[in-house]
């Protein structure tokens, strides 16, 4: 029978089951038997019921295992039945029955070591103690160690017996003899040693032995008649280097005495140098510590270090920067035991160190100081005094992780300080103030997400892999560490560190002070502004929003008992309602969850039904809560939601509208809050009116995916007379200087409502990279950068934007209703001046767009306005590449109505093309055939403007979804608005080179970057016509709107025009394309523009110009047929001031095209000096020049321009006086002879062209 193998660790469950089946099939007996044993504790006997428990038994194994350690006593039912005797000793019973090893060990009597001192190894200057080898250790036996301490030197009489070794522990009858034998052996060894050896062994033993042991030996010796000298007069411990006086010579004794005297003198000198002289009766001053006592001295006056290096910044507890030369008193607590004790204040490094201290006060103080430093740094107070960014430095040092660790602290004070520092890091008060100030502006509810700029990371692992096998963005994000995520995006980093559950715990369980609650809510608001996904995470965090709703936005609350107490738990908090509003701005689905699932709808009714004075809150807080409730409702109304609430609260809204705060003195502290509340009410009514208008026009709109709100036009018709009356009352008070400021704040809201009312009744500028960041702007923590706009700026109460924008909005709406009102509007003039922040430029773009729309209606009818048509057209062209994401509808409207409108290009009429042609001819030394056709080309382009507009709109058709979404938002179609968060700032809506779009699009579809070209039959239908329209538009812009194309670099223009040759094999041979490209090439190579053309720098969208030039050379060699226009584009980058790489590439890799590059100097129209000066200094290129001339590959009849260039450079090189030492003179002479011979031969055979 085969033996069953034992299971292995590598066997799977199936292998074990298979072996079990084989074992059962074999019928072999098992080595383990399962039997039932009775439970003695239950009183069972071993009868038929014994097999009730499974007991595993193994053969040849005793039932009772021997106990190796004393086991705990077992409880037994039979314990009480044992027979006991009164005089029986339990210890004897244990000794009699116990055969354990403890019976042997119990007879060993150990010494009492409780009073034995424990000695530490002696301190040495070495990193590790000296290692003793075995021979040395054998000499240091225990008897010798003790005996040497009192043994006499050679020449002294031996002692009768040992003084230290008593032999008490030996026991037995021979103990005394054994002791004497040990003593005699020690004496013999000592007698055999010299004096120096004995002294050396004494010193070695004194260093190695415990000082207490040395004192003990000396005390034993002193008991025999010698006086101990182990301690000095002051009771200090003896030094290990002191020698034991054992009757040695006088010289040694004198030396030791001198050492003791010197030590006493040094101690006296140290005592004299100390700032205070210790007294004998002072407690714990028996052992002096001079290093610590040095801190009692007065600090030296701070002085600036004599170095040009920057000094470390130090801050006080309020976060204020302390100048290094300022002498502050010590009672402020700013001096500490640091590297520079004379300087007051704490550096960032020292604050980091204190924040992880074991002392609670130090942790709390360090975190609060960091919070103050961050607050002042974000406000820009350190920009002029410090080098670099404080916020960036702190983030690089790991501030985010420090704050996250501190939030987990069990001490509430440390936790509160960490929350304060986290708010100072994430929240910018200026950003929040500016965003709140623009809510009442046109489209003010929308805002950009505060996302960092996206950086494309190249993953080397994905290179070469197909698209299916590459990792997705989510998978790459999961692989990143917390540090990598936080370095790119701070908010995303803190979300990954589980910040939200911790904040929920602080609010729900810790229930901190009101200030900490305000900080937590501010942090949540900043997180919600990050992106829609971040807002969703806040909403999905378990019990977070439920805690906010129940504790800070309750539907019922009680009045605080003390009038001075201002609790935050159980009463409405304005910041909590603001958090709901910011979350609702993230999307219509988030807003619906807030209204329906979390009970925000009921809270709105509870907060808005009573007057602010009836909310039983502090007056200012009551107004803020009511205002935020109106803003929350306005956001919901912008999605067409909460319409039933409008019907229920209609009387309340009308009453609030009629009780508008009349303008009064600005000194009233509540006036500003009342004005903001009224602005929020008017914004709400504006969006409600938009929703009602969408219901009226529902049959004409896209209603497939949205339900129609339960709101009709009849619900809002009664609001217009009331608003109009209030507007008239405000206008009457504009003459009062005291009331003018408050009046102007309300007028824009009234105008916007009337514009929305009339628009629905009739059913009808920024580059994000150009923003100037503040000194403390961190890429991973973006903000608005609006600290300079808070007070007195464009976002302040005196800003002109809301009034002018609302007025233009109303005028545009009224003119669209009544065409005759156009004559009532006077001429207006636009002066576009960019401002350095995208959030404010969005409102500037709204204003410019409305002004341009008014000009579209005024230019055809008003001659005074038509005079400024060129300015309006130029403004629209400049504005197009500045429009931010979310403004696609504005771009579409401008391109449809103004950009290609011939009324705004008066140069195309009354002899404008001829004048342009004459002005260009005056700039040339001699007339060019291509320039003589500029006038007819311009006239033809003006005629084709409608077709050109259709061509560009066709190529922008891919933006249709974005245009429709933007259209719904700008026209107030609330049921189709998905979110109030605008798209991320990844770039402008249109690229800056959008005029080249048809040409670039054709190249991407049909071009070949590596040359070779394609046949014209393979081009998409209408490609030639599309390219012609594109070139005509570019010609109009280059001649009459040159400033509009200034944003496109000349090298980028050249690269885009090269697509004409790379898109097809014969597209450039088409006559319309040829004529227009010639004209554009002439304009691009004018003397005034040639200096700005730099092909050494890579054009936008390309890695380098060299790659594009290689493709041009390959295409020219393949399909050019010696075309002169193509040849001019090839020759242009060969100018001397450009890199020699392109010249080396032509003469080295593509020398064959020299035979067909027959462009003459007249056709090139570029001075030959730009190719020949300065002299060529590249020896490889000079060799190529020489080779092509000698071999005949370069001839004057084939390539006149490059022939002159090569001959000129070689001639200069040969006849130059400062020829390099690496070129032999004989070679220059031989080269000159060969060139002269070849030149004479070719001149006779091929006459010059």
């Amino acid at each position: 029978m085969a033996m069953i193998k034992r299971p292995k660790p590598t066997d799977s469950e199936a292998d074990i089951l298979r072996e079990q089946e084989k074992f059962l099939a074999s019928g072999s007996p098992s080595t383990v038997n399962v039997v039932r044993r009775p439970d003695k504790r239950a009183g069972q006997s071993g009868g038929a019921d014994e097999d009730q428990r499974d007991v595993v038994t193994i053969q040849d194994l005793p039932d009772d295992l021997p106990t190796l350690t004393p086991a705990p006593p077992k409880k037994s039912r039979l314990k009480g039945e044992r027979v006991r005797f009164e005089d029986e000793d339990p210890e004897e019973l244990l000794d009699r029955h116990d055969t354990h090893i403890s019976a042997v060990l119990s007879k060993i009597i150990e010494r009492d070591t409780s009073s034995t001192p424990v000695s530490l190894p002696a301190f040495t200057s070495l990193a590790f103690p000296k290692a003793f080898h075995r021979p040395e250790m054998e000499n240091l036996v225990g008897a010798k160690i003790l005996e040497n301490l009192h043994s006499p030197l050679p020449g002294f009489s031996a002692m009768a017996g040992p003084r230290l070794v008593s032999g008490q522990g030996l026991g037995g009858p021979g103990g005394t003899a054994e002791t004497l034998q040990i003593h005699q052996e020690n004496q013999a060894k000592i007698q055999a040693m010299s004096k120096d050896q004995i002294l050396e062994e004494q010193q070695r033993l004194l260093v190695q032995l415990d000082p207490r042991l040395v004192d003990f030996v000396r005390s034993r010796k002193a008991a025999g008649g010698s006086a101990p000298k182990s301690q000095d007069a002051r009771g200090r411990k003896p030094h290990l280097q002191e020698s034991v006086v054992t009757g040695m010579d006088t010289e040694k004794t004198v030396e030791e005495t001198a050492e003791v005297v010197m030590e006493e003198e040094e101690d006296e000198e140290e005592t004299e140098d100390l700032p205070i002289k210790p007294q004998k009766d002072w407690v714990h001053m028996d052992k002096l510590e001079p290093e610590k006592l040095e801190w009692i001295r007065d600090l030296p006056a701070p002085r600036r270090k004599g170095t040009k290096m920057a000094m470390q910044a130090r801050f006080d507890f309020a976060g204020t920067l302390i100048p290094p030369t300022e002498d502050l008193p010590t009672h402020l607590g700013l001096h500490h035991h640091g590297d520079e004790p004379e300087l007051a204040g704490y550096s960032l490094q020292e604050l980091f160190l204190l924040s992880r201290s074991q002392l609670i006060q130090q942790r709390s103080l360090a975190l609060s100081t960091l919070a103050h430093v961050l607050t002042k740094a974000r406000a820009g107070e350190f920009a002029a005094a410090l080098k670099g960014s404080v916020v960036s430095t702190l983030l690089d040092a790991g501030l985010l992780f420090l704050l996250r660790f501190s939030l987990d602290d069990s001490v509430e004070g440390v936790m509160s300080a960490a929350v304060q520092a986290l708010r100072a890091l994430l929240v910018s008060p200026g950003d929040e103030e500016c965003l709140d100030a623009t809510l009442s502006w046109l489209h003010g509810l929308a805002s950009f997400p505060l996302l960092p700029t996206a950086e494309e990371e190249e993953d080397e692992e994905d290179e070469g892999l197909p698209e299916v096998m590459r990792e997705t963005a989510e998978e790459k994000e999961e692989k990143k560490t917390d540090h990598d995520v936080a370095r790119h995006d701070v908010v995303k980093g803190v979300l990954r560190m589980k910040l939200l559950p911790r904040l929920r715990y602080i609010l729900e369980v810790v229930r901190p002070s009101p200030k900490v609650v305000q900080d937590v809510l501010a942090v949540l608001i900043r997180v919600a502004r990050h992106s829609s996904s971040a807002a969703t995470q806040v909403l999905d965090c378990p019990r977070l929003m439920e805690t906010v709703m129940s504790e800070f936005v309750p539907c019922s609350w009680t009045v605080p008992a003390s009038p001075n107490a201002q609790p935050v738990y159980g009463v409405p908090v304005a910041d909590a309602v603001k958090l709901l509003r910011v979350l609702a701005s993230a999307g219509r689905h988030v807003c619906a969850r807030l209204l329906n699932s979390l009970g925000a709808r009921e809270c709105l009714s509870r907060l808005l039904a009573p007057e602010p004075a009836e909310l039983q809150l502090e007056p200012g807080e009551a107004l803020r809560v009511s205002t935020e409730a109106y803003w929350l409702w306005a956001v919901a109304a912008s999605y067409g939601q909460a319409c039933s609430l409008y019907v229920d609260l209609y009387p309340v809204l009308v009453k609030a509208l009629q009780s508008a705060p009349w303008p009064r003195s600005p000194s009233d502290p509540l006036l500003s809050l009342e004005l903001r509340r009224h602005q929020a009410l008017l914004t709400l009514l504006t969006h409600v009116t938009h929703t009602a208008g969408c219901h009226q026009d529902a049959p004409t709109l896209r209603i497939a995916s949205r339900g129609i709100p339960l709101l009709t036009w009849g619900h809002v018709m009664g609001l217009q007379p009331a608003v109009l009356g209030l507007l008239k009352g405000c206008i009457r008070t504009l003459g009062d200087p005291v009331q003018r400021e408050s009046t102007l704040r309300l007028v824009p809201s009234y105008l916007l409502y009337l514009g929305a009312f009339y628009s629905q009744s009739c059913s009808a500028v920024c580059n994000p990279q150009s923003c100037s960041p503040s000194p403390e702007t961190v890429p991973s923590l973006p903000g608005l950068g609006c600290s300079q706009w808070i007070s007195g700026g464009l976002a302040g109460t005196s800003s002109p934007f809301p009034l002018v924008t609302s007025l233009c909005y109303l005028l545009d709406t009224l003119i669209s209703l009544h065409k005759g009102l156009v004559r009532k509007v006077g001429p207006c003039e636009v002066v576009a001046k960019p401002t350095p922040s995208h959030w404010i430029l969005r409102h500037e773009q709204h204003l410019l767009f409305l002004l341009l729309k008014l000009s579209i209606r005024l230019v055809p009818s008003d001659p005074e306005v038509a005079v400024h048509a060129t300015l309006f057209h130029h403004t629209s062209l400049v504005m197009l590449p500045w429009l931010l994401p979310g403004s696609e509808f504005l771009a579409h409207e401008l391109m449809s109505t103004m950009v290609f409108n011939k009324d705004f290009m008066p140069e195309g009429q009354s002899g404008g093309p001829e004048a342009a042609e004459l002005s260009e001819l005056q700039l040339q030394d001699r007339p060019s055939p291509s320039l003589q056709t500029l006038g007819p080309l311009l006239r033809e382009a003006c005629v084709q403007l409608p077709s050109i507009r259709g061509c560009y709109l066709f190529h922008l058709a891919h933006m249709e979804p974005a245009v429709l979404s933007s259209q719904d938002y700008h026209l107030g179609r609330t049921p189709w608005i998905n979110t109030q968060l605008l798209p991320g700032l990844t770039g402008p809506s249109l690229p800056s080179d959008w005029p080249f779009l048809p040409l670039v699009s054709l190249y991407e579809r049909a071009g070949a970057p590596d040359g070779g070209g394609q046949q014209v039959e393979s081009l998409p239908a209408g490609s030639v016509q599309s390219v012609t329209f594109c070139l005509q538009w570019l010609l109009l812009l280059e001649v009459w709107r040159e400033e509009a194309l200034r944003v496109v670099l000349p090298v980028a223009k050249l690269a885009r025009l090269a697509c004409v040759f790379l898109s097809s094999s014969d597209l450039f041979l088409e006559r319309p394309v040829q004529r227009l490209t010639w004209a554009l090439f002439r304009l691009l190579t004018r003397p005034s523009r040639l200096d700005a053309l730099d092909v050494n720098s890579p054009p936008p969208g390309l890695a380098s110009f060299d790659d594009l030039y290689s493709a041009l050379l390959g295409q020219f060699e393949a399909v050019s047929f010696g075309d002169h226009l193509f040849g001019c584009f090839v020759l242009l980058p060969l100018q001397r001031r450009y890199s020699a790489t392109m010249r080396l590439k032509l003469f080295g890799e593509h020398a064959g095209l020299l035979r067909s590059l027959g462009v003459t100097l007249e056709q090139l129209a570029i001075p030959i000096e730009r190719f020949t000066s300065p002299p060529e200094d590249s020896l490889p290129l000079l060799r190529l020049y020489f080779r092509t001339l000698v071999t005949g590959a370069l001839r004057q009849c084939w390539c006149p321009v490059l022939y002159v260039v090569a001959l000129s450079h070689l001639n200069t090189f040969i006849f130059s006086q400062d020829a390099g030492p690496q070129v032999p003179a004989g070679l220059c002479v031989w080269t000159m002879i060969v060139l002269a011979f070849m030149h004479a031969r070719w001149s006779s055979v091929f006459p010059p062209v």
Side-chain angles (χ1 to χ4, degrees), residues 34-40 44-46 49-57 63-64:
V34 180
V35 298
R36 296 283 186 179
R37 300 189 63 181
D39 189 358
K40 297 181 180 180
Q44 298 177 357
S45 59
D49 298 335
E50 285 183 358
D51 299 337
Q52 293 182 0
R53 294 179 57 196
D54 295 337
V55 180
V56 179
T57 61
D63 295 338
D64 298 327

Side-chain angles (χ1 to χ4, degrees), residues 481-502:
T481 62
D482 294 347
H483 173 71
D484 295 335
V485 175
R487 183 179 57 183
H488 176 65
D489 193 334
V490 173
V491 175
K492 187 179 290 185
V494 296
L495 289 177
R496 191 167 178 174
M497 298 177 194
K498 307 298 182 183
L499 173 69
L500 298 179
R502 186 59 184 173

Side-chain angles (χ1 to χ4, degrees), residues 1169-1187:
E1169 291 79 8
R1170 290 184 175 269
F1171 295 87
T1172 59
S1173 179
E1176 185 63 62
D1177 54 359
S1178 174
L1179 288 179
L1181 185 56
L1182 290 171
R1183 292 191 186 99
L1184 291 176
Y1185 286 163
F1186 178 74
R1187 187 179 66 181

Side-chain angles (χ1 to χ4, degrees), residues 758-908:
Y758 293 128
S759 64
Q760 295 298 333
S761 64
C762 67
S763 177
V765 194
C766 166
N767 183 354
Q769 305 300 330
S770 66
C771 302
S772 58
S774 62
E776 291 294 339
T777 298
V778 181
S780 60
L781 191 62
L784 304 183
C786 56
S787 57
Q788 66 271 28
W789 307 100
I790 297 176
S791 58
L794 293 178
T797 56
S798 59
S799 173
F801 273 112
L803 177 60
V804 180
T805 304
S806 57
L807 180 60
C808 293
Y809 176 66
L810 177 60
L811 290 177
D812 178 68
T813 304
L814 295 177
I815 292 175
S816 62
L817 290 176
H818 196 297
K819 306 299 181 182
L821 294 178
V822 176
R823 300 183 179 87
K824 303 296 183 180
V825 179
C828 56
E829 187 169 331
V830 182
V831 179
K833 183 179 181 181
T835 50
S837 187
H838 57 270
W839 69 274
I840 194 67
L841 275 180
R842 188 173 66 89
H843 298 285
E844 181 184 2
Q845 290 171 2
H846 293 158
L847 173 60
L848 291 176
F849 175 73
L850 293 173
L851 289 173
L852 292 177
K853 285 191 67 177
L854 289 175
S855 66
I856 293 173
R857 295 185 172 92
L858 292 174
V859 166
S861 59
D862 193 337
E864 296 183 7
V865 179
V867 175
H868 305 287
T870 302
L871 177 60
F872 294 140
H873 191 251
H874 177 75
T875 303
S876 64
L877 291 174
V878 173
M879 182 178 174
L880 270 179
W882 286 5
L883 291 175
L884 292 171
S887 303
E888 291 81 5
F889 173 68
L890 304 185
H892 182 271
E893 285 292 302
L894 289 177
M895 297 186 72
S896 301
T897 58
M898 173 173 283
V899 173
F900 302 101
N901 193 339
K902 63 180 182 180
D903 293 337
F904 290 88
M905 298 188 72
E907 298 90 347

Side-chain angles (χ1 to χ4, degrees), residues 254 287 429 444 467 618 622 663 687 696 789 826 875 951 1082 1093 1116:
V254 172
K287 181 179 179 181
E467 192 68 25
E618 187 267 332
H687 288 284
Q696 181 184 5
W789 307 100
T875 303
C951 172
R1082 292 289 185 232
L1093 180 61
F1116 183 85

Side-chain angles (χ1 to χ4, degrees), residues 871-1177:
L871 177 60
F872 294 140
H873 191 251
H874 177 75
T875 303
S876 64
L877 291 174
V878 173
M879 182 178 174
L880 270 179
W882 286 5
L883 291 175
L884 292 171
S887 303
E888 291 81 5
F889 173 68
L890 304 185
H892 182 271
E893 285 292 302
L894 289 177
M895 297 186 72
S896 301
T897 58
M898 173 173 283
V899 173
F900 302 101
N901 193 339
K902 63 180 182 180
D903 293 337
F904 290 88
M905 298 188 72
E907 298 90 347
Q909 306 170 5
S910 63
E914 290 78 6
E917 181 176 347
L918 291 175
S919 63
E920 291 294 334
L921 289 176
Q922 292 176 358
L923 297 176
Q924 301 291 332
D925 297 335
R926 46 188 172 181
S928 176
S930 59
L931 282 178
Q932 294 177 1
T933 61
L934 185 60
L937 290 176
L938 291 173
R939 275 194 301 271
E940 184 179 355
C942 292
V943 175
Q944 297 294 335
L945 277 176
S947 302
I948 295 174
R949 176 183 59 189
C951 172
Y952 278 90
L953 292 179
F954 171 78
H955 283 85
L956 293 173
H958 64 279
M959 298 176 59
E960 182 179 3
V963 172
L964 293 177
S965 176
S966 178
Q967 182 183 21
D968 293 335
Y969 174 75
H970 284 87
L971 296 183
R973 298 173 180 175
T974 54
W976 290 271
I977 298 178
N978 292 320
T979 178
Q980 290 293 341
L981 276 182
L982 298 172
L985 284 173
T986 56
S989 301
L990 289 177
S992 58
D993 60 344
W994 68 268
F996 298 88
L997 183 60
L999 192 55
V1000 176
S1001 177
L1002 178 63
Y1003 169 73
E1004 292 176 349
R1005 287 184 295 170
D1010 55 348
Q1014 295 188 9
Q1015 299 297 325
V1016 70
E1017 291 80 11
S1018 63
L1019 289 176
S1023 298
V1024 177
Q1025 192 66 35
S1026 177
V1027 172
T1028 303
F1029 290 150
C1030 176
L1031 295 177
Q1032 287 177 337
W1033 179 242
L1034 290 173
L1035 184 63
L1036 291 175
L1037 295 180
E1038 285 288 347
V1039 175
W1040 290 328
R1041 298 291 182 268
E1042 182 181 356
E1043 294 294 329
L1045 282 180
R1046 188 174 295 275
V1047 67
V1048 184
L1049 298 176
V1051 65
K1053 297 178 183 178
L1054 181 64
R1056 271 65 174 171
L1057 286 178
C1059 295
V1060 173
F1061 307 100
L1062 297 176
S1063 298
S1064 174
S1065 59
D1066 54 359
L1067 176 63
F1068 59 91
L1069 298 177
E1070 297 289 336
R1071 181 170 177 78
V1073 176
Q1074 181 98 187
R1075 295 172 58 199
L1076 291 168
T1077 308
W1078 264 118
L1080 291 172
F1081 179 79
R1082 292 289 185 232
L1083 295 174
L1084 190 63
T1085 57
R1086 285 183 296 182
S1088 59
R1089 300 189 183 182
L1090 266 179
D1091 294 333
L1093 180 61
D1094 183 14
V1095 300
N1096 291 330
S1097 59
L1102 294 176
S1104 66
F1105 191 84
D1106 294 346
D1107 299 336
L1108 177 65
Y1109 190 69
S1110 298
L1112 276 176
L1113 293 178
Q1115 187 81 341
F1116 183 85
E1117 237 178 342
V1119 299
S1120 69
F1121 300 103
D1123 183 70
H1124 291 175
L1125 175 61
F1126 203 163
C1128 289
F1129 275 84
V1130 172
L1131 291 173
L1132 181 60
L1134 300 179
Q1135 299 179 52
R1136 177 64 184 87
R1137 65 191 184 98
Y1138 300 143
S1139 173
T1141 305
M1142 291 176 283
R1143 298 192 291 275
L1144 288 170
K1145 193 169 296 184
L1146 189 148
F1147 280 90
E1149 302 174 11
H1150 301 275
L1153 61 79
L1154 295 174
R1155 189 180 181 90
S1156 57
L1157 197 57
V1159 180
T1160 63
L1161 295 176
E1162 292 78 9
Q1163 292 173 333
L1164 184 60
I1166 299 177
I1168 193 63
E1169 291 79 8
R1170 290 184 175 269
F1171 295 87
T1172 59
S1173 179
E1176 185 63 62
D1177 54 359

